Each structure stands twice: as structure tokens, then as C-alpha cells.
Amino acid sequence: MTWGRRWALTVLSLCLLAGCSEDAAVPRLGESAITSERAEGSERGESLRGAGGPSSAGGFTSVAAGAGHWCGLHSDGSIRCWGHNYSGQASPPSGQFTAVDAYRDATCGLRTDGTVECWGRDSHGLNGSEPASPPSDLFVSIDVGGAVCGVRIDDTVRCWGAEARDDASPPRGVFSSVTSGGLHWCGLRTGGQVECWGSEMFGAVEAPRGEFSAVSAGWHRTCGLRPSGAVECWGRDDYGYTSPPSGQFASVSAGDSHACGLRTDSAIQCWGDNDAGQASPPDGKFTAVSAGGGLSCGLRTGGHIECWGDNRAGLPSPPSRVRFVSIDAGWDHSCGLSTEGAVLCWGDDFDGQASPPGGEFAAVSAGSSSSCGLRADGAVECWGDSHGQERLPGGVFAAVSVGTADSCGLRANGAVECWEGGPYRHGLEPRPGTVFAAVSAGFFHSCGLRADGTLECWGTDTDGGASPPGGGFAAVSAGADYTCGLRASGTIECWGSNDRGQASPPDGAYVDVTTGNYHACALRADGAIRCWGSNDRGQASPPSGVFASVAAGGYHSCGIRRDGTAQCWGSDRSGQASPPSDEPSPTNWAEPAAPSTAR
């Protein structure tokens, strides 16, 4: 938000207007995935085993949903992930893979040479913690749950992980596939019989007799696919989990509290818990489906991913054809200035802060419950919470910054004027007569960059956030109770509260810095974004690729790519991380609906 944002990005603006090239390797949201099923109807997490799955140029061949993140196997063999990344679960290694699977906050991939590599939550022992690191055996398929299980090249099963206790040891003999639930595991014998082991709670290991063609284990429950195409589930029966719909299916995927099946007509049908819409799939044709924890994803026939359900993870929105020249992230809303000079806002609009007036603007700033724009003639116009706006100064300004307590404007002569921007105004302003080059309004304090490169801050000095160090700076950004400045050398220095690492920037050279609530982000000269501090909503896990600017907000962040498209990440509970688009979104976060009762 512009409590942590400076507005004089001359070099970057020139780059935007010149149309700098975009990193073509960066995928859209709709081009993402995680392992799940084969298009032919295998159980969740099975590898493709040489069968070319559905793909298109730049498309995906499989998808798998965790709990707040998902990953996809791309047609070039790479894995790409999106969503929560607080444990590194959405940061796959490079190289080529044949399969990928996700469970809650951990992910594993099967490499082309048959070895397994895992990343994410270390408490499962999935990413190298002894004594449960992936074995050196060669596998043909894997499945991630309370432990990781895989079918080796000799068709025997091996499981490992922190929760792979004695009861996780698979029975002897050969299997065609294996599936890992939370505390139980099931394998499909080469003759079609299902055999389960592990926790006996709720009867999840009590597989029915008879022949199956696929099996998928969830949390204390399991679903199997009969050769006839019928689905049969057993184990914990809340939410109607063990009462799947009738009819013929090509595959089935068991999630934590809901399950989904791919019908033989390529439609998806889900059942079970639907509190976040995870059991309300979109219409249309699919080739695979993956049910996770409150989240489901399907693979479209064209190789694109579509997900539905819980989006509290703030899964990043795709770039759109709307082009921006600047962007700012507020508390629960965001605003951008389009190439046509119009201001577009999205997210929380309780106080009208996301309903900008029409007309042409030169800059925009988003705060907590209000926003302000700088008109082309230098006049400041604000919208949202009207508290204090009757004292909005007139005249000509060169920049504006909206904070939580106060908002401040920079006059053309370098003078800074502040006015009440919310109910917590500190009522302080910089020393009269000081000439500034930039100003940043924070939570309870504001800071200005003097014309000589030194800093001056005013307002509440909680934890020293308003006590800047000496020396010269090129930019300043005031956050909640901390501040970050960009030195002329390109290094970043922060001061104030550091309880979440927000005042501990990474090393290296940068061209801009922006502060949010408890996290901050910076832009490198090569266009890469680096963030630090609190990352509980994914707000400090920027996407890869080349950007022209970045803005950190309350619990989300936004950036503008060099082609002018906007992309946001972090919390999206109010839609603040979903920039407006003039093209259909590849995601479908459905509204919660009653579980299906079809039989």
C-alpha cells in the first residue's frame, strides 16, 4: 500500500511506455498443475507410464491439489506450482519429471530417471530430513499423503516419511498402484484386489471385496473405482462421503473431506464437504481431476488447469489484457492506473475505497479504507472513508500517498502537506520549510525523502520506525511500525519492528522497495521481485518472471509485468489479489453449495 510506496519511478515508467519485453517463460495461472490422475483413469498421484496425457503447446498433462497450493506437470516435463508457499511446497526444483503429487503443505515429484524428489513441509521428512529422506530406489509411480509411497520398478511398494510408522509398512507382494491417505494406505494388486494398511479408525482400511481398477485414499476414507465404472467409498462417512453418486466414472480422487470423480462423458462430479465450494465443479469437459484439502483442480481437454474451492491461500490471479502503468496494494483492496489514465480498483469496497471516480489520473494510492488519485492537473481526489477528507487541501501536487492514520501529498515546490486519512490520525507533519523529493505515509507514521537524499519521519515512533538512520537514500517506504529505505548503492536498509523479519531485507542491489503490513518487497534491476517478512498468506512469495514495479499491501502484494499486465499474490479473501480482466479467468472459485445427493 502506499504507506510503503514511492511514486517517482521514472526509469520504470519509461520502460513500460517503451513496451519492454515480457519473460515468455512465465505461465499464466491457467497453465499450472500438480500430479493427480492419468487421463485414462488412474488413481490420484499415479505416473503417466509413457502414455501421453492431454497436452497442447504450453499446456499441462496432469494436475494435483494440496491444501492451499497446487502443482502441474507441464508438457515439457517441468513442474510448476501456485498458492501457499510458507513451507516451500510451491517451489519445485528444476529438471524434468514424469509425475507430481501434493498433500497439504508438501509436494513430491517423480523424475524421468525414476528417482523421487520432495519439497515443502519438513515435519513429514519429505525433503531430506533424516531418517526419512526419499530412498534411492527407482519408482514408476508415487503418491503423497501422511507418508510418501511409491511403486518400484519391480512392482513392490515402499513408503517413507515422518508418519510412516510400523503400520505404514506395506504388505509383501506386487502392486500396480499405491495411494497414501493421512494415516492409512491402500494398494491395488495386479489382480484388481485392493489391500489397505495403517490406522483402522473409521474403517478406512476395510476395503470391500471384488475387483477394482483404481483406488484413492483420503483422510480416514478411501474410494475405489470398479471395472464397471461405479465408484465405491468406505471409511469415515460424514458429509455423505461414502455415498458417491451413481453412474459411470473414468477416475476418482479422494480429498480430505470431499471426493471428485471424472465421468466417462468427461464431466466432473464431486461429493462430500462443500463448505468452500470444493465439491461444486464447473461445467465442461475435463481429462483429470484432483481433490485436495478444501480445494479441487481439474485438467481441461486443452491442457489448462481450472480450480475451485477454498481460495484463502490467495492463489495468484492470471495476467489479463488490461494494461497498467502503476499499481498500489491497500489493506484489503488494490488500485491500478491503466495506460488510458483511468483508475481501476478491486477488492474490499465496504467504505467505497474500491469505487474510484471516472476521468483521467496521473497516479493512484490505496490505503486501508480510502484511496486517492492525482489528477492530470495536479489536483488530489480521494474516495472511500470520508473521515477527514473535508480537510483535503486544494492546489497542485506532484505525488500523493495514502496511509492508515494520515495521507500526505508532495507539492511541486517540494513541500509536504498531510491530512487526516482515518480515525487514528497522529496529527504531526514534517518541519516547515523542508524540501522533499518523495513522501510515504505509513500506518501511524510517515517519512519523506529530502532533496539532499536524507530522511525525515514524523508520527508515532513505535519500535523506532520513525527514527531513520543517517546518510543518503534514493527512496523510502513507511510500513506498519517499521520503515525501509533504498540506498543510492541499491542496498536496502530497514528499521523499526522486526518481529516477523519485516526489517531484515535480503542482500543485493535493488531499484525500488515497498512495505506492507508485516512484509516488504523489492524490485531488482533485472525485474525479479524479492519479498521478506510475514508469509502466512503467501504475500511474500512472488511469482517468477520479469516485473516493472511492485507494491506490498496488508496481506497481499501486486506487481506490474513489463508488458503492463498486473499480477497479485497473497490473501484474496476480498478479491484484492484478483486484478480486473477482460478475458475469462482460468480459475472458478465456486460459491459454497449443498453437497450433491445424486445416487
Side-chain angles (χ1 to χ4, degrees):
M1 50 182 46
T2 314
W3 359 299
R5 198 70 192 106
R6 67 183 180 100
W7 282 106
L9 300 178
T10 307
V11 175
L12 296 175
S13 297
L14 289 174
C15 183
L16 282 170
L17 295 174
C20 298
S21 64
E22 164 68 355
D23 182 358
V26 179
R28 298 185 306 160
L29 178 67
E31 298 173 345
S32 56
I34 308 184
T35 64
S36 185
E37 5 276 285
R38 292 184 301 174
E40 301 85 52
S42 71
E43 69 278 6
R44 176 173 168 267
E46 187 177 354
S47 71
L48 295 178
R49 288 197 173 185
S55 64
S56 61
F60 288 81
T61 59
S62 67
V63 59
H69 83 289
W70 75 85
C71 300
L73 180 67
H74 199 264
S75 57
D76 62 7
S78 65
I79 292 174
R80 305 178 192 182
C81 302
W82 283 262
H84 268 324
N85 198 35
Y86 46 80
S87 297
Q89 65 267 41
S91 296
S94 59
Q96 290 190 315
F97 294 81
T98 61
V100 60
D101 195 30
Y103 173 78
R104 298 198 173 180
D105 47 7
T107 314
C108 291
L110 180 65
R111 291 200 175 271
T112 53
D113 62 1
T115 59
V116 175
E117 188 164 353
C118 300
W119 55 97
R121 179 180 163 197
D122 190 57
S123 63
H124 272 59
L126 301 184
N127 60 349
S129 64
E130 295 297 335
S133 57
S136 58
D137 307 49
L138 300 182
F139 293 85
V140 296
S141 70
I142 58 169
D143 198 274
V144 185
V148 185
C149 291
V151 177
R152 292 184 282 206
I153 56 175
D154 62 357
D155 290 332
T156 60
V157 170
R158 180 169 181 179
C159 299
W160 67 94
E163 294 182 24
R165 307 172 309 277
D166 291 340
D167 60 1
S169 300
R172 295 180 181 273
V174 296
F175 291 84
S176 61
S177 66
V178 64
T179 177
S180 181
L183 298 172
H184 78 288
W185 300 264
C186 295
L188 183 66
R189 292 284 189 184
T190 53
Q193 295 76 33
V194 169
E195 189 168 351
C196 301
W197 58 96
S199 173
E200 298 181 357
M201 292 180 63
F202 305 105
V205 297
E206 298 173 2
R209 295 181 179 180
E211 185 179 353
F212 288 86
S213 59
V215 62
S216 179
W219 184 254
H220 295 310
R221 34 202 148 211
T222 313
C223 291
L225 182 69
R226 295 286 190 182
S228 64
V231 170
E232 192 168 347
C233 301
W234 58 94
R236 189 168 181 173
D237 191 32
D238 45 356
Y239 308 110
Y241 197 104
T242 60
S243 299
S246 59
Q248 289 186 318
F249 289 84
S251 68
V252 64
S253 176
D256 272 8
S257 58
H258 78 290
C260 294
L262 178 69
R263 288 202 172 272
T264 52
D265 63 359
S266 299
I268 290 176
Q269 189 166 358
C270 303
W271 59 96
D273 187 14
N274 197 34
D275 63 338
Q278 66 268 40
S280 296
D283 296 330
K285 293 184 179 297
F286 292 83
T287 59
V289 64
S290 176
L295 169 70
S296 305
C297 292
L299 184 68
R300 289 284 188 185
T301 53
H304 295 285
I305 304 301
E306 190 161 355
C307 299
W308 56 96
D310 187 356
N311 193 25
R312 287 175 295 180
L315 306 176
S317 56
S320 71
R321 288 191 294 265
V322 178
R323 297 296 187 264
F324 295 88
V325 297
S326 68
I327 197 167
D328 198 34
W331 186 264
D332 278 330
H333 78 291
S334 307
C335 292
L337 180 68
S338 74
T339 53
E340 291 80 21
V343 169
L344 303 175
C345 299
W346 54 96
D348 183 19
D349 197 32
F350 183 80
D351 292 300
Q353 64 268 42
S355 296
E360 187 177 353
F361 287 84
V364 65
S365 175
S368 57
S369 57
S370 64
S371 305
C372 292
L374 184 68
R375 290 286 187 183
D377 62 1
V380 172
E381 189 168 348
C382 300
W383 56 94
D385 187 356
S386 61
H387 192 84
Q389 288 190 24
E390 66 275 6
R391 289 182 287 278
L392 180 67
V396 177
F397 287 84
V400 63
S401 178
V402 181
T404 298
D406 280 8
S407 298
C408 296
L410 178 68
R411 295 281 189 185
N413 63 0
V416 167
E417 287 187 45
C418 299
W419 60 94
E420 193 169 9
Y424 308 107
R425 191 185 187 209
H426 49 66
L428 300 177
E429 294 187 351
R431 288 178 293 179
T434 306
V435 178
F436 292 91
V439 64
S440 175
F443 204 92
F444 293 118
H445 73 289
S446 303
C447 293
L449 177 69
R450 297 191 186 107
D452 63 1
T454 59
L455 299 180
E456 181 178 342
C457 299
W458 55 95
T460 304
D461 195 22
T462 305
D463 297 317
S467 298
F473 288 84
V476 64
S477 181
D481 47 9
Y482 72 106
T483 309
C484 291
L486 180 70
R487 293 283 188 184
S489 63
T491 60
I492 295 173
E493 188 170 348
C494 302
W495 54 94
S497 176
N498 194 34
D499 57 336
R500 305 187 191 188
Q502 65 267 41
S504 297
D507 296 331
Y510 299 86
V511 296
D512 192 27
V513 63
T514 171
T515 55
N517 188 18
Y518 298 112
H519 77 289
C521 297
L523 182 71
R524 290 187 181 274
D526 62 3
I529 293 175
R530 299 289 182 269
C531 300
W532 60 96
S534 177
N535 196 33
D536 56 338
R537 315 288 173 83
Q539 65 269 41
S541 295
S544 60
V546 180
F547 287 81
S549 65
V550 62
Y555 293 93
H556 74 292
S557 305
C558 294
I560 299 178
R561 293 196 180 272
R562 288 187 176 174
D563 66 352
T565 56
Q567 190 165 2
C568 301
W569 55 97
S571 175
D572 197 32
R573 66 178 182 177
S574 299
Q576 68 267 38
S578 297
S581 172
D582 55 3
E583 64 183 15
S585 172
T587 57
N588 178 47
W589 300 110
E591 290 296 324
S596 172
T597 57
R599 294 297 306 274

